Amino acid sequence: MMMWKNCRIGLGLLAAVLLSAGMLLEGNVGAEDGALGMGVPAKQAPFAGTTQATAAAEQGVKVETRTITKSLPGASIKAEYPHISGLKSKSVQRKLNSYFKARAEDFVKKSVKEAKQNQPSPSGNKYEFLANYTVTYNKNCILSLYEQTYAYTGGAHGNSYREGLTFRLKDGKRLTLDELLRANPNYRQIVDPAIAQQLQQTQGYFGNFKTIGPNPSYYVKDEGVVIFFPLYEYLPYVNGFPEFYFPFSQLLPAGTNPFDFTRHK
Protein backbone atom coordinates (compact mmCIF):
# COMPACT_ATOMS: atom_id res chain seq x y z
CA MET A 1 0.00 0.00 0.00
CA MET A 2 3.01 2.31 -0.17
CA MET A 3 1.75 3.71 -3.49
CA TRP A 4 -1.09 5.48 -1.70
CA LYS A 5 0.88 6.68 1.30
CA ASN A 6 1.37 10.23 0.01
CA CYS A 7 -2.34 10.75 -0.45
CA ARG A 8 -3.43 9.92 3.05
CA ILE A 9 -4.84 12.66 5.22
CA GLY A 10 -2.39 13.32 8.00
CA LEU A 11 -0.74 10.65 10.13
CA GLY A 12 -2.07 7.15 10.54
CA LEU A 13 -3.03 7.71 14.16
CA LEU A 14 -4.90 10.90 13.30
CA ALA A 15 -6.69 9.15 10.44
CA ALA A 16 -7.78 6.36 12.77
CA VAL A 17 -9.15 8.87 15.26
CA LEU A 18 -10.98 10.83 12.58
CA LEU A 19 -12.42 7.71 11.04
CA SER A 20 -13.72 6.51 14.38
CA ALA A 21 -15.37 9.90 14.84
CA GLY A 22 -16.89 9.81 11.36
CA MET A 23 -15.01 12.92 10.27
CA LEU A 24 -13.34 11.57 7.14
CA LEU A 25 -15.94 11.68 4.41
CA GLU A 26 -16.27 9.90 1.14
CA GLY A 27 -17.75 12.85 -0.68
CA ASN A 28 -21.07 12.36 -2.36
CA VAL A 29 -22.30 15.91 -2.66
CA GLY A 30 -24.73 17.28 -5.20
CA ALA A 31 -28.24 16.53 -6.36
CA GLU A 32 -28.97 13.40 -8.35
CA ASP A 33 -30.41 14.32 -11.72
CA GLY A 34 -32.49 11.29 -12.57
CA ALA A 35 -30.50 10.43 -15.71
CA LEU A 36 -31.17 7.11 -17.38
CA GLY A 37 -28.93 4.34 -16.03
CA MET A 38 -27.95 1.81 -18.67
CA GLY A 39 -25.17 -0.24 -17.10
CA VAL A 40 -23.85 -3.13 -19.10
CA PRO A 41 -24.50 -6.34 -17.12
CA ALA A 42 -21.24 -7.83 -15.90
CA LYS A 43 -19.85 -9.50 -12.81
CA GLN A 44 -18.44 -6.90 -10.45
CA ALA A 45 -15.19 -8.05 -8.86
CA PRO A 46 -12.76 -5.89 -6.88
CA PHE A 47 -9.46 -5.21 -8.54
CA ALA A 48 -6.32 -6.60 -6.95
CA GLY A 49 -5.33 -5.10 -3.62
CA THR A 50 -8.76 -3.80 -2.59
CA THR A 51 -10.19 -4.99 0.71
CA GLN A 52 -12.66 -3.51 3.15
CA ALA A 53 -9.77 -2.59 5.45
CA THR A 54 -7.99 -0.84 2.59
CA ALA A 55 -11.09 1.12 1.65
CA ALA A 56 -11.52 2.29 5.24
CA ALA A 57 -7.89 3.37 5.48
CA GLU A 58 -7.92 5.13 2.12
CA GLN A 59 -10.89 7.45 2.48
CA GLY A 60 -10.68 10.51 0.33
CA VAL A 61 -10.52 14.21 0.88
CA LYS A 62 -13.30 16.16 2.52
CA VAL A 63 -15.62 17.74 -0.05
CA GLU A 64 -17.81 20.72 0.78
CA THR A 65 -20.18 22.68 -1.42
CA ARG A 66 -19.68 26.34 -2.15
CA THR A 67 -22.22 28.45 -3.99
CA ILE A 68 -22.30 31.49 -6.25
CA THR A 69 -25.68 33.12 -6.84
CA LYS A 70 -26.76 35.95 -9.08
CA SER A 71 -30.17 37.55 -9.43
CA LEU A 72 -31.13 39.56 -12.49
CA PRO A 73 -34.46 40.97 -13.65
CA GLY A 74 -36.14 37.99 -15.24
CA ALA A 75 -33.36 35.49 -14.45
CA SER A 76 -31.84 33.56 -11.55
CA ILE A 77 -28.38 31.99 -11.55
CA LYS A 78 -26.95 29.51 -9.06
CA ALA A 79 -23.69 27.58 -9.30
CA GLU A 80 -22.63 24.98 -6.74
CA TYR A 81 -19.07 23.72 -6.90
CA PRO A 82 -16.81 21.47 -4.78
CA HIS A 83 -14.20 22.74 -2.36
CA ILE A 84 -11.79 20.13 -1.00
CA SER A 85 -9.70 20.02 2.15
CA GLY A 86 -7.45 17.48 3.87
CA LEU A 87 -4.89 16.90 1.13
CA LYS A 88 -1.33 16.54 2.33
CA SER A 89 -0.12 18.60 -0.64
CA LYS A 90 -1.53 22.07 -0.10
CA SER A 91 -0.33 23.21 -3.52
CA VAL A 92 -2.38 20.47 -5.20
CA GLN A 93 -5.33 21.34 -2.99
CA ARG A 94 -5.13 25.01 -4.00
CA LYS A 95 -4.77 24.03 -7.64
CA LEU A 96 -7.92 21.90 -7.61
CA ASN A 97 -9.97 24.39 -5.62
CA SER A 98 -8.98 27.19 -7.97
CA TYR A 99 -9.97 25.02 -10.92
CA PHE A 100 -13.41 24.21 -9.50
CA LYS A 101 -14.08 27.83 -8.53
CA ALA A 102 -12.99 29.13 -11.94
CA ARG A 103 -15.38 26.75 -13.70
CA ALA A 104 -18.27 27.96 -11.53
CA GLU A 105 -17.39 31.61 -12.11
CA ASP A 106 -17.19 31.03 -15.85
CA PHE A 107 -20.63 29.43 -15.82
CA VAL A 108 -22.09 32.41 -13.95
CA LYS A 109 -20.42 34.88 -16.29
CA LYS A 110 -21.75 33.15 -19.42
CA SER A 111 -25.21 32.80 -17.87
CA VAL A 112 -25.37 36.54 -17.08
CA LYS A 113 -24.37 37.34 -20.63
CA GLU A 114 -26.97 35.01 -22.12
CA ALA A 115 -29.71 36.29 -19.82
CA LYS A 116 -29.04 39.91 -20.73
CA GLN A 117 -28.82 39.25 -24.46
CA ASN A 118 -32.04 37.25 -24.67
CA GLN A 119 -34.35 39.24 -22.40
CA PRO A 120 -37.24 39.53 -22.22
CA SER A 121 -38.29 35.90 -22.22
CA PRO A 122 -40.58 35.13 -25.17
CA SER A 123 -42.75 32.94 -22.93
CA GLY A 124 -42.78 35.38 -20.03
CA ASN A 125 -41.26 32.75 -17.74
CA LYS A 126 -38.20 33.60 -15.68
CA TYR A 127 -34.89 32.31 -17.04
CA GLU A 128 -33.05 29.84 -14.84
CA PHE A 129 -29.39 28.78 -14.87
CA LEU A 130 -28.18 26.08 -12.50
CA ALA A 131 -24.90 24.24 -12.00
CA ASN A 132 -24.16 21.48 -9.50
CA TYR A 133 -22.03 18.40 -9.10
CA THR A 134 -22.08 14.83 -7.80
CA VAL A 135 -19.04 13.08 -6.34
CA THR A 136 -19.00 9.47 -7.52
CA TYR A 137 -15.63 8.25 -6.17
CA ASN A 138 -13.42 9.65 -3.42
CA LYS A 139 -10.73 7.28 -2.20
CA ASN A 140 -7.50 5.56 -3.24
CA CYS A 141 -5.95 8.91 -4.24
CA ILE A 142 -8.70 9.44 -6.83
CA LEU A 143 -11.49 12.02 -6.85
CA SER A 144 -14.11 11.52 -9.54
CA LEU A 145 -17.27 13.53 -10.08
CA TYR A 146 -19.50 14.97 -12.73
CA GLU A 147 -20.60 18.56 -13.07
CA GLN A 148 -23.97 19.29 -14.59
CA THR A 149 -25.45 22.55 -15.82
CA TYR A 150 -29.02 23.43 -16.68
CA ALA A 151 -30.34 26.42 -18.59
CA TYR A 152 -33.95 27.37 -19.18
CA THR A 153 -34.41 30.24 -21.61
CA GLY A 154 -37.96 29.59 -22.76
CA GLY A 155 -39.56 26.75 -24.66
CA ALA A 156 -40.96 23.44 -23.47
CA HIS A 157 -38.02 22.59 -21.25
CA GLY A 158 -34.48 23.58 -20.39
CA ASN A 159 -31.30 21.95 -21.58
CA SER A 160 -28.62 20.18 -19.55
CA TYR A 161 -24.94 19.51 -20.10
CA ARG A 162 -22.76 17.11 -18.12
CA GLU A 163 -19.00 16.72 -17.85
CA GLY A 164 -17.08 14.01 -16.02
CA LEU A 165 -13.96 15.00 -14.05
CA THR A 166 -11.50 12.51 -12.56
CA PHE A 167 -8.34 13.60 -10.75
CA ARG A 168 -5.26 11.90 -9.37
CA LEU A 169 -4.92 13.56 -5.97
CA LYS A 170 -1.18 12.99 -5.69
CA ASP A 171 -0.49 15.72 -8.25
CA GLY A 172 -3.92 17.04 -9.28
CA LYS A 173 -3.69 15.61 -12.79
CA ARG A 174 -7.00 15.20 -14.60
CA LEU A 175 -7.17 11.68 -16.02
CA THR A 176 -8.61 10.68 -19.37
CA LEU A 177 -10.26 7.28 -19.65
CA ASP A 178 -7.31 6.08 -21.75
CA GLU A 179 -4.95 7.01 -18.91
CA LEU A 180 -7.07 5.27 -16.29
CA LEU A 181 -7.37 2.12 -18.42
CA ARG A 182 -3.77 2.29 -19.67
CA ALA A 183 -3.21 -1.41 -18.87
CA ASN A 184 -5.55 -2.26 -21.76
CA PRO A 185 -5.15 0.10 -24.73
CA ASN A 186 -7.72 -2.00 -26.61
CA TYR A 187 -10.59 -1.56 -24.13
CA ARG A 188 -12.77 -0.04 -26.88
CA GLN A 189 -13.03 -3.51 -28.40
CA ILE A 190 -15.00 -4.41 -25.26
CA VAL A 191 -17.09 -1.32 -24.64
CA ASP A 192 -18.04 -0.36 -28.22
CA PRO A 193 -19.99 -3.55 -29.08
CA ALA A 194 -21.54 -3.69 -25.61
CA ILE A 195 -22.82 -0.11 -25.83
CA ALA A 196 -24.03 -0.65 -29.40
CA GLN A 197 -26.05 -3.66 -28.30
CA GLN A 198 -27.63 -1.79 -25.39
CA LEU A 199 -28.54 1.19 -27.57
CA GLN A 200 -30.07 -1.02 -30.27
CA GLN A 201 -32.31 -2.54 -27.61
CA THR A 202 -33.50 0.87 -26.36
CA GLN A 203 -36.72 2.33 -27.71
CA GLY A 204 -36.20 5.57 -29.61
CA TYR A 205 -32.55 4.90 -30.52
CA PHE A 206 -31.50 7.26 -33.32
CA GLY A 207 -28.86 4.92 -34.71
CA ASN A 208 -25.35 5.81 -35.89
CA PHE A 209 -23.35 4.74 -32.82
CA LYS A 210 -20.02 3.25 -33.85
CA THR A 211 -17.48 4.02 -31.11
CA ILE A 212 -17.03 6.04 -27.93
CA GLY A 213 -14.31 7.96 -29.76
CA PRO A 214 -10.90 9.29 -28.69
CA ASN A 215 -11.87 11.09 -25.46
CA PRO A 216 -15.07 9.63 -24.02
CA SER A 217 -16.96 11.22 -21.13
CA TYR A 218 -16.80 9.11 -17.97
CA TYR A 219 -16.60 9.00 -14.20
CA VAL A 220 -15.41 6.39 -11.73
CA LYS A 221 -18.02 4.60 -9.64
CA ASP A 222 -17.72 1.63 -7.29
CA GLU A 223 -15.24 -0.82 -8.88
CA GLY A 224 -15.50 0.46 -12.43
CA VAL A 225 -16.33 3.34 -14.74
CA VAL A 226 -19.50 4.84 -16.18
CA ILE A 227 -19.27 6.02 -19.79
CA PHE A 228 -22.00 8.46 -20.78
CA PHE A 229 -23.21 10.56 -23.71
CA PRO A 230 -24.88 13.97 -24.07
CA LEU A 231 -28.60 14.52 -24.36
CA TYR A 232 -29.94 13.90 -27.87
CA GLU A 233 -26.73 12.16 -28.98
CA TYR A 234 -28.31 8.75 -29.52
CA LEU A 235 -31.63 8.85 -27.64
CA PRO A 236 -34.58 11.23 -27.15
CA TYR A 237 -34.50 13.89 -24.44
CA VAL A 238 -36.81 11.86 -22.21
CA ASN A 239 -34.11 9.18 -21.87
CA GLY A 240 -31.72 11.59 -20.18
CA PHE A 241 -27.98 10.96 -20.32
CA PRO A 242 -27.32 7.42 -21.56
CA GLU A 243 -24.95 5.74 -19.07
CA PHE A 244 -23.04 2.47 -19.35
CA TYR A 245 -21.25 0.88 -16.40
CA PHE A 246 -18.20 -1.35 -16.90
CA PRO A 247 -16.35 -2.98 -13.97
CA PHE A 248 -12.56 -2.81 -14.06
CA SER A 249 -12.54 -6.62 -13.97
CA GLN A 250 -14.16 -6.60 -17.41
CA LEU A 251 -11.83 -4.03 -18.96
CA LEU A 252 -8.41 -4.75 -17.47
CA PRO A 253 -6.12 -7.79 -17.18
CA ALA A 254 -6.62 -9.92 -14.07
CA GLY A 255 -4.88 -8.48 -11.02
CA THR A 256 -4.59 -4.96 -12.47
CA ASN A 257 -5.04 -2.01 -10.14
CA PRO A 258 -6.05 1.05 -12.23
CA PHE A 259 -4.96 3.39 -9.44
CA ASP A 260 -1.39 2.09 -9.24
CA PHE A 261 0.50 4.60 -11.34
CA THR A 262 3.87 3.08 -10.50
CA ARG A 263 3.08 0.55 -13.24
CA HIS A 264 1.69 0.95 -16.76
CA LYS A 265 2.55 4.66 -16.78
Side-chain angles (χ1 to χ4, degrees):
M1 305 312 301
M2 293 300 293
M3 60 188 171
W4 291 327
K5 183 176 180 181
N6 291 334
C7 292
R8 294 185 177 178
I9 304 173
L11 300 176
L13 179 59
L14 178 59
V17 173
L18 293 176
L19 281 169
S20 65
M23 295 176 66
L24 292 184
L25 306 178
E26 178 176 344
N28 189 15
V29 188
E32 294 293 338
D33 54 79
L36 173 67
M38 298 179 60
V40 177
K43 181 179 178 182
Q44 299 185 29
F47 48 82
T50 296
T51 64
Q52 290 184 352
T54 298
E58 297 296 341
Q59 291 296 310
V61 295
K62 183 177 180 181
V63 183
E64 298 177 318
T65 297
R66 296 198 172 179
T67 306
I68 303 174
T69 59
K70 203 88 171 178
S71 183
L72 302 173
S76 64
I77 303 168
K78 181 179 180 181
E80 296 180 339
Y81 64 95
H83 180 86
I84 66 173
S85 60
L87 265 184
K88 184 176 181 180
S89 173
K90 299 308 176 186
S91 62
V92 172
Q93 183 170 290
R94 287 192 296 270
K95 172 185 174 180
L96 289 174
N97 284 333
S98 295
Y99 177 78
F100 294 136
K101 183 179 180 181
R103 288 175 63 90
E105 290 175 337
D106 185 59
F107 169 78
V108 171
K109 181 179 178 181
K110 290 180 178 178
S111 298
V112 168
K113 182 178 180 180
E114 183 174 358
K116 289 181 177 179
Q117 287 179 341
N118 296 319
Q119 288 290 349
S121 169
S123 64
N125 296 324
K126 191 173 184 178
Y127 288 173
E128 187 176 21
F129 302 87
L130 301 172
N132 59 26
Y133 70 98
T134 297
V135 174
T136 60
Y137 194 89
N138 182 18
K139 56 187 176 181
N140 298 331
C141 285
I142 298 293
L143 176 66
S144 189
L145 56 96
Y146 62 79
E147 292 186 338
Q148 191 157 307
T149 62
Y150 169 85
Y152 175 78
T153 55
H157 55 71
N159 196 29
S160 296
Y161 174 78
R162 176 187 291 183
E163 185 172 0
L165 304 170
T166 298
F167 300 92
R168 185 170 62 190
L169 294 178
K170 180 178 180 180
D171 55 9
K173 176 178 173 56
R174 182 176 173 182
L175 299 171
T176 65
L177 188 56
D178 284 7
E179 290 170 330
L180 189 67
L181 302 179
R182 61 203 173 281
N184 179 17
N186 299 315
Y187 71 89
R188 286 174 179 79
Q189 296 177 8
I190 299 173
V191 304
D192 284 348
I195 291 175
Q197 181 180 24
Q198 286 285 319
L199 286 172
Q200 289 164 6
Q201 295 173 353
T202 304
Q203 186 175 3
Y205 172 48
F206 299 149
N208 301 319
F209 173 81
K210 295 180 179 179
T211 177
I212 58 174
N215 189 25
S217 298
Y218 83 100
Y219 56 83
V220 181
K221 183 177 182 180
D222 300 327
E223 304 296 343
V225 295
V226 174
I227 298 172
F228 63 91
F229 300 101
L231 298 176
Y232 297 114
E233 181 93 4
Y234 299 110
L235 294 171
Y237 179 87
V238 68
N239 292 76
F241 295 88
E243 296 187 326
F244 304 86
Y245 175 80
F246 293 89
F248 290 125
S249 60
Q250 185 181 1
L251 301 178
L252 300 176
T256 300
N257 183 344
F259 307 136
D260 181 1
F261 289 91
T262 63
R263 303 175 61 186
H264 303 291
K265 292 183 179 180

